[in-house]
Amino acid sequence: MNTLFSYERLASLLANYSVFSDQQPSKPVEPDRLFESLPNVLRSSSGSPGQGDVSTKKTPTNHKLEATVCTPPTLIPPRILPLLHDLAQQMVNAGHQQQLFNIYREVRASVLEQSLRKLGVEKLSKDDVQRMQWEVLEAKIGNWIHFMRIAVKLLFAGEKKICDQIFEGVHSLREQCFADVTANSVAVLLSFGEAIAKSKRSPEKLFVLLDMYELMRELHPEMEATFQGQYCMEMRESSVVLAKRLAQTAQETFGDFEEAVEKDATKTAVLDGTVHPLTSYVINYVKFLFDYQSTLKQLFQEFNEGDADARLTAVTTRIMQALQSNLDGKSKQYKDPALTQLFLMNNIHYIVRSVRRSEAKDFLGDDWVQIHRRIVQQHANQYKRVSWSKILQCLTVQGLSSSSGNQYGSDSGGTSGVSRAMVKERFKTFNIQFEELHQRQSQWTVPDSELRESLRLAVAEVLLPAYRSFIRRFGPLIENGKNPQKYIRFSPEDLERMLAEFFEGKTWSEQKR
């Protein structure tokens, strides 16, 4: 057969046959066709390709993904492949390997690159990545993860399959053609990963870096199987290098986070003493980290960091220590020492409660939880002492008579030798101090309802018995005089009702209603 005829026939068949129709010009694979070729376990975490941004929601675990079998789409009708094989063999036998190589590379590389562009793949530099807003970049990373799966599991695998069939028996040309058809597409995809790995580090990037690292580990066996031989060596190595670089950047970002927590110098003050935004941010961050614990352990092993569980425990402990150290510093912003204690109580309680409800508890251990529960109680006790010691002194008999001891109002003994003026002064002082406490601390917040009730009860258990005893003993001295309501402004029931308004985070205008 005439070799010119073989060349033209091969070129015509390659250019004119596609996956859709024997009669249509060769064109890229439609995104929906690729999407349908993915198993459900991969489809569910990615959304439809080419249809807007893809969520970076965490995918199923790696061992499940690695076991997933994908069926590549049909890129050239099966009945045409034997004819293309015969034509390729004729050209090789006639010594026209270079022409064969050129036409095959030109047609198939173009179709592959168009398929990826239609899917949404774009070439982005490190500078392009640096200029992007985080929300935009995060969406693009999610898309990239999806595109990489489609490219490796479907498009590259499909190109490998037809290349093997067309060039069966021509080993060197088969490898070279496949390498040249896919080289640019592989480079474009990996270059985005490299740009992310080399971009400026920030805490929010850790999870997408872990997603990307997880993906490269997942795809590694398929990359090794698809890109075999010396012509594909550079692509295999580039894939391995990207995985290692992502691991390195993720590890450095992890270290940056720990340092950033300790050194966070935001002056955002929570005026009501509630849980600080830094606390909730760090705790949510740590809880999310444990969704990635298998990946993190693999990351630690990548750098030979000993026992992965011990390393994860040590890192989590250090992050918690860094957070507590920072909170201690932030607590010093308060001028009222009682609010300092309330702030620390709220934040440590939030940490303990969150740890108990997460996988972090398995690593930090029961001892850690118990120690920090005691710390919460210590801050509650300190709050009670700082806030209420002074007002409780108003309800002692000390200073009212020469024979009195340093006890809260006692039913024993009478009121002989007690100055009515001194008792009036005590009631006035108590009223002023309690109203000040009520006004101020009703604006403070204890967000956890159980802790809030516990703290109110602890105050009531000290305040109310002392107040009842004081009124019972010294109230008659006032009630028998002029304007008793001026001095005895509150009944024990009034105090109990008003204590129930403490720590509700009410504004001053709400209190006046």
Side-chain angles (χ1 to χ4, degrees):
M1 183 182 285
N2 185 294
T3 54
L4 178 60
F5 173 77
S6 298
Y7 174 82
E8 290 173 347
R9 181 73 172 138
L10 180 77
S12 174
L13 286 171
L14 282 172
N16 291 323
Y17 282 95
S18 74
V19 296
F20 297 100
S21 166
D22 291 1
Q23 308 304 320
Q24 293 180 4
S26 184
K27 63 181 183 179
V29 185
E30 291 295 327
D32 285 344
R33 181 71 180 271
L34 290 169
F35 182 65
E36 288 164 7
S37 298
L38 284 175
N40 287 335
V41 69
L42 297 181
R43 247 187 275 178
S44 61
S45 64
S46 306
S48 180
Q51 306 297 319
D53 293 329
V54 174
S55 168
T56 53
K57 179 182 175 184
K58 182 140 172 59
T59 56
T61 54
N62 273 347
H63 68 274
K64 290 181 182 177
L65 295 178
E66 286 165 1
T68 301
V69 177
C70 297
T71 304
T74 302
L75 302 180
I76 293 176
R79 66 183 184 80
I80 302 299
L81 288 171
L83 180 55
L84 289 170
H85 172 264
D86 291 344
L87 292 170
Q89 195 68 51
Q90 290 167 21
M91 291 186 69
V92 169
N93 293 340
H96 295 291
Q97 285 190 340
Q98 190 60 47
Q99 292 97 317
L100 173 60
F101 172 78
N102 289 343
I103 186 62
Y104 187 87
R105 177 189 60 188
E106 181 182 334
V107 173
R108 292 312 309 167
S110 175
V111 172
L112 176 60
E113 288 163 21
Q114 287 179 59
S115 295
L116 288 173
R117 278 198 297 273
K118 198 157 190 176
L119 189 62
V121 174
E122 53 188 330
K123 189 169 185 176
L124 295 170
S125 67
K126 181 183 173 183
D127 290 339
D128 294 330
V129 166
Q130 291 285 47
R131 285 193 292 266
M132 284 183 191
Q133 294 291 324
W134 166 242
E135 292 76 12
V136 175
L137 183 59
E138 185 180 29
K140 287 192 179 296
I141 292 170
N143 286 333
W144 178 84
I145 288 170
H146 190 50
F147 299 156
M148 278 292 292
R149 282 205 180 98
I150 285 177
V152 174
K153 294 176 180 289
L154 301 178
L155 289 174
F156 297 156
E159 289 295 342
K160 171 78 169 168
K161 184 177 178 181
I162 61 170
C163 196
D164 286 351
Q165 290 177 282
I166 292 171
F167 294 104
E168 185 181 359
V170 192
H171 182 71
S172 61
L173 195 59
R174 180 179 66 191
E175 283 188 3
Q176 189 179 2
C177 279
F178 175 68
D180 273 49
V181 164
T182 55
N184 188 58
S185 294
V186 171
V188 168
L189 283 164
L190 295 185
S191 68
F192 178 78
E194 288 283 347
I196 297 298
K198 293 176 181 177
S199 64
K200 186 177 178 181
R201 299 194 302 269
S202 59
E204 66 270 15
K205 284 184 184 174
L206 177 59
F207 300 110
V208 293
L209 285 166
L210 292 173
D211 283 334
M212 293 170 77
Y213 169 68
E214 204 171 61
L215 172 80
M216 295 309 295
R217 285 191 59 242
E218 171 203 325
L219 296 179
H220 177 70
E222 286 158 294
M223 288 292 291
E224 290 290 312
T226 304
F227 294 91
Q228 297 175 357
Q230 65 178 30
Y231 291 104
C232 293
M233 184 185 297
E234 185 177 342
M235 285 177 274
R236 291 196 307 274
E237 289 178 348
S238 295
S239 173
V240 171
V241 167
L242 174 57
K244 287 188 177 297
R245 186 159 284 148
L246 288 166
Q248 181 68 43
T249 306
Q251 188 186 51
E252 290 168 355
T253 303
F254 205 4
D256 291 347
F257 176 69
E258 186 182 321
E259 186 178 343
V261 171
E262 187 167 8
K263 295 182 177 178
D264 176 76
T266 53
K267 297 300 182 184
T268 307
V270 285
L271 300 179
D272 58 356
T274 191
V275 175
H276 196 280
L278 177 68
T279 304
S280 52
Y281 174 74
V282 171
I283 292 301
N284 286 336
Y285 199 94
V286 169
K287 281 160 59 174
F288 204 23
L289 273 177
F290 278 92
D291 287 342
Y292 288 84
Q293 61 174 289
S294 62
T295 308
L296 286 168
K297 289 174 186 178
Q298 182 65 38
L299 198 71
F300 298 145
Q301 290 168 4
E302 187 102 35
F303 298 99
N304 299 316
E305 296 193 1
D307 181 77
D309 280 349
R311 171 79 171 126
L312 190 53
T313 299
V315 170
T316 307
T317 302
R318 287 204 306 271
I319 289 173
M320 293 301 185
Q321 288 171 342
L323 175 58
Q324 287 176 249
S325 175
N326 192 291
L327 291 171
D328 283 339
K330 284 180 168 44
S331 73
K332 293 177 173 59
Q333 296 176 17
Y334 297 108
K335 294 179 181 178
D336 189 330
L339 188 53
T340 294
Q341 297 302 322
L342 194 83
F343 171 79
L344 290 171
M345 179 198 73
N346 277 330
N347 282 268
I348 304 299
H349 178 269
Y350 179 86
I351 293 169
V352 172
R353 187 190 63 179
S354 300
V355 166
R356 288 178 65 197
R357 296 176 179 178
S358 75
E359 291 180 77
K361 180 178 180 290
D362 298 333
F363 289 83
L364 293 172
D366 289 331
D367 286 349
W368 186 95
V369 170
Q370 293 306 318
I371 288 168
H372 286 78
R373 287 180 76 176
R374 286 197 292 271
I375 292 173
V376 173
Q377 189 58 52
Q378 287 166 11
H379 287 304
N381 292 339
Q382 283 289 87
Y383 153 79
K384 192 168 65 172
R385 183 186 63 78
V386 172
S387 258
W388 297 94
S389 291
K390 187 177 177 183
I391 195 171
L392 286 169
Q393 287 298 315
C394 297
L395 304 178
T396 66
V397 296
Q398 183 183 22
L400 294 179
S401 67
S402 59
S403 61
S404 63
N406 186 17
Q407 298 293 324
Y408 299 148
S410 171
D411 291 331
S412 62
T415 58
S416 61
V418 172
S419 164
R420 178 182 278 111
M422 286 293 293
V423 172
K424 286 182 177 179
E425 193 60 36
R426 287 290 183 89
F427 273 111
K428 282 175 63 178
T429 303
F430 177 88
N431 295 338
I432 291 168
Q433 290 185 9
F434 185 78
E435 285 176 338
E436 286 177 353
L437 284 168
H438 177 260
Q439 178 186 332
R440 188 163 64 250
Q441 297 196 17
S442 294
Q443 298 176 63
W444 296 357
T445 301
V446 177
D448 184 85
S449 58
E450 191 176 323
L451 182 62
R452 185 168 62 244
E453 286 305 314
S454 171
L455 195 59
R456 287 172 179 164
L457 182 61
V459 172
E461 285 176 345
V462 175
L463 181 67
L464 296 182
Y467 188 70
R468 285 192 182 100
S469 182
F470 193 82
I471 283 186
R472 194 157 42 237
R473 184 169 182 186
F474 300 109
L477 284 176
I478 306 301
E479 290 164 354
N480 294 332
K482 292 182 180 179
N483 302 319
Q485 68 278 6
K486 179 180 176 182
Y487 303 101
I488 305 178
R489 292 187 56 189
F490 304 110
S491 68
E493 292 70 30
D494 290 332
L495 296 185
E496 192 169 11
R497 176 184 54 77
M498 293 173 77
L499 281 174
E501 297 174 350
F502 277 51
F503 319 126
E504 290 285 354
K506 292 183 177 180
T507 62
W508 175 233
S509 59
E510 287 175 320
Q511 291 180 53
K512 290 196 294 184
R513 289 192 200 120

